[in-house]
Amino acid sequence: MSKSIAVETRAARKDYGTGTHTVRALDKVSVSIDQGEFFTLLGPSGCGKTTLLRLIAGFETPTAGQILLDGQDITADPPNLRPINTVFQSYALFPHLSVAENIGFGLQMMGRPKAVVNQAIEKMLALVQLESLASRKPQQLSGGQQQRVALARALAPQPRVLLLDEPLSALDLKLRKEMQRELKRLQAETGITFIFVTHDQEEALTMSDRVAVMQSGKILQVGAPRQIYNHPVDRFVADFIGETNFLSGRVAAGRATLSSGEVLPADVAGHAGEVTFAVRPEQVSVCAADASDCLAAIIVDTVYFGTDTHCHMRLGDGTEIVARLQNAPSGEIGLARGDAVGLRFEPGALQVLAQ
């Protein structure tokens, strides 16, 4: 059964300024987001992800193109006429109102009956697990609790779409990870379409049904996290999503080689000439220096990360490769700077990237 489309942008363009001072923040972006999907816009600062979110919210009007909600053109509709809510990086809670009052504020402004408002407040408090804190003021809450109140307030009117503009960036690492799981749970329980903006690739990979990687006002690739991580379309996506090793080589007669002449075990069908290969550190293993199926390398450095160690190696042609090795219970991997070793790639690990 095909899914219905909740949000669609058609050739959305956004320019700021005029004449020679025009800056194109979005360049003909077309994307479809399914109903009930957790969809993430991922990219570095200035890539256009927040601009796209603001167009969907109605805070900005596109210079050209269309914004559709459930198949209806809402391009010209103001924010208050769109069944869309936004959670910002700053929680924007009212300091003089209690948790319960903050959650019910939007519904009260919409003129909902008091009984309906109270019922929604109770439901939202249970959803975000803050029943015992209903009477507290925002300044009496932790950052994570304030974030839950902001989410509950945005979800209370039951919007068709919830937009989240880097809502976890102000939290510390441990709390951010907890809130990642919390957001995914809330999205699954409510069934509301979430559109999440972040520059953090870990957030995108752990929470999303699909991810759109953006750069310079364009969407470069859209796909499930595993697809984007394992099969990036170009060097930017491969480099931005996780850690990646890059090797320059050449394809001729169906065979891939480094500049040193060493053969690489890569599927090069459809490629020829100078190419770039990408391989993830966890798909590189270290073997004996004299192993016949390994590339000769020298260890440059080892960096301990607790659960694993990053082993930095240099190939004969000068290319540096990092292998992520799982640590033994002792924490020792038995490798040191200057050791001569071999390295091999897992089958199918080497990806040929578009130039």
Side-chain angles (χ1 to χ4, degrees):
M1 182 182 296
S2 60
K3 295 182 179 180
S4 60
I5 296 174
V7 176
E8 183 180 2
T9 67
R10 295 179 180 174
R13 195 182 91 225
K14 182 61 181 179
D15 297 336
Y16 294 101
T18 58
T20 58
H21 299 290
T22 299
V23 174
R24 181 151 297 175
L26 278 184
D27 192 3
K28 297 181 180 179
V29 170
S30 296
V31 65
S32 296
I33 300 168
D34 293 333
Q35 176 62 45
E37 184 173 30
F38 197 122
F39 191 90
T40 296
L41 300 172
L42 172 69
S45 297
C47 72
K49 57 188 185 295
T50 295
T51 300
L52 181 55
L53 200 77
R54 290 178 65 83
L55 293 185
I56 296 171
F59 301 143
E60 301 276 0
T61 302
T63 306
Q66 292 177 293
I67 310 295
L68 289 84
L69 178 67
D70 297 330
Q72 300 297 313
D73 190 339
I74 61 168
T75 308
D77 292 351
N80 62 301
L81 295 183
R82 302 184 186 198
I84 296 173
N85 271 356
T86 305
V87 177
F88 299 98
Q89 182 175 339
S90 60
Y91 311 135
L93 300 176
F94 298 110
H96 62 288
L97 299 182
S98 68
V99 167
E101 290 167 339
N102 265 283
I103 292 174
F105 182 82
L107 291 171
Q108 288 180 331
M109 292 299 98
M110 297 167 67
R112 301 288 174 84
K114 185 175 181 179
V116 173
V117 174
N118 290 338
Q119 184 178 20
I121 290 172
E122 289 182 11
K123 181 180 179 181
M124 289 301 108
L125 285 170
L127 184 67
V128 298
Q129 301 173 352
L130 291 178
E131 300 101 314
S132 62
L133 305 180
S135 61
R136 290 194 184 182
K137 298 293 177 61
Q139 61 268 28
Q140 297 175 302
L141 305 177
S142 68
Q145 290 167 341
Q146 290 183 43
Q147 182 61 272
R148 291 183 184 185
V149 177
L151 285 165
R153 183 178 60 186
L155 290 169
Q158 297 182 312
R160 298 282 294 135
V161 178
L162 184 65
L163 309 178
L164 302 107
D165 190 5
E166 304 208 47
L168 308 183
S169 60
L171 304 178
D172 61 46
L173 179 61
K174 184 176 181 181
L175 187 54
R176 192 160 65 243
K177 290 181 178 296
E178 291 176 1
M179 285 305 300
Q180 288 171 14
R181 295 193 300 271
E182 187 74 5
L183 276 177
K184 187 60 180 174
R185 178 186 69 82
L186 290 172
Q187 192 273 330
E189 289 190 16
T190 62
I192 293 173
T193 303
F194 277 26
I195 304 178
F196 186 89
V197 162
T198 185
H199 62 273
D200 188 317
Q201 52 92 15
E202 181 181 298
E203 286 184 356
L205 293 177
T206 56
M207 293 191 295
S208 311
D209 295 315
R210 284 192 304 154
V211 177
V213 182
M214 298 187 66
Q215 182 196 32
S216 302
K218 297 182 177 181
I219 291 179
L220 302 183
Q221 185 174 359
V222 178
R226 288 180 185 274
Q227 178 188 2
I228 288 182
Y229 186 83
N230 292 318
H231 302 287
V233 295
D234 62 17
R235 182 169 182 140
F236 177 85
V237 176
D239 196 26
F240 194 78
I241 301 288
E243 297 180 52
T244 311
N245 295 299
F246 296 104
L247 302 90
S248 297
R250 181 173 180 80
V251 175
R255 191 171 73 163
T257 58
L258 292 173
S259 58
S260 58
E262 293 176 292
V263 177
L264 295 174
D267 180 2
V268 295
H271 297 276
E274 302 296 326
V275 298
T276 297
F277 299 96
V279 61
R280 302 293 185 182
E282 67 271 16
Q283 296 170 330
V284 181
S285 57
V286 178
C287 48
D290 57 356
S292 59
D293 60 342
C294 291
L295 300 178
I298 298 293
I299 294 181
V300 177
D301 200 6
T302 59
V303 183
Y304 177 74
F305 279 91
T307 58
D308 50 46
T309 293
H310 290 195
C311 183
H312 296 252
M313 297 168 284
R314 183 178 292 117
L315 299 178
D317 68 347
T319 300
E320 290 205 5
I321 297 288
V322 179
R324 184 181 297 143
L325 308 177
Q326 191 74 27
N327 286 328
S330 65
E332 299 294 332
I333 59 171
L335 298 171
R337 183 181 302 174
D339 286 353
V341 296
L343 65 86
R344 65 163 62 94
F345 307 114
E346 296 296 323
L350 283 166
Q351 302 289 318
V352 184
L353 300 180
Q355 298 298 299

